[in-house]
Amino acid sequence: MATPSLMAAAELRTALEAHARGDLPAAIGALMSIDTASWQAIEERLRSLGAALPALLATARGEAA
């Protein structure tokens, strides 16, 4: 299984925190900063957990997926 870079992990965390507080521009900016290989690794990990990014964002925001 591929591993996302540490920078990508930090950007994903930043995106989730921004989304949770309703700061959509900051969330999008953080997500856009993630490199392609790390994106693929993140998607692979989410799939292995039976999840997807939209559901993860909804959970971060405290909404039903």
Side-chain angles (χ1 to χ4, degrees):
M1 182 178 288
T3 303
S5 69
L6 291 177
M7 181 63 88
E11 291 293 352
L12 181 58
R13 182 183 63 230
T14 298
L16 292 172
E17 291 169 348
H19 188 271
R21 64 177 184 271
D23 188 353
L24 191 57
I28 291 170
L31 292 174
M32 295 294 291
S33 297
I34 298 173
D35 64 280
T36 303
S38 291
W39 257 123
Q40 292 170 346
I42 290 166
E43 288 176 334
E44 183 180 321
R45 285 191 179 209
L46 287 172
R47 271 194 307 274
S48 75
L49 297 171
L53 187 57
L56 187 59
L57 291 173
T59 300
R61 190 87 191 252
E63 303 167 353

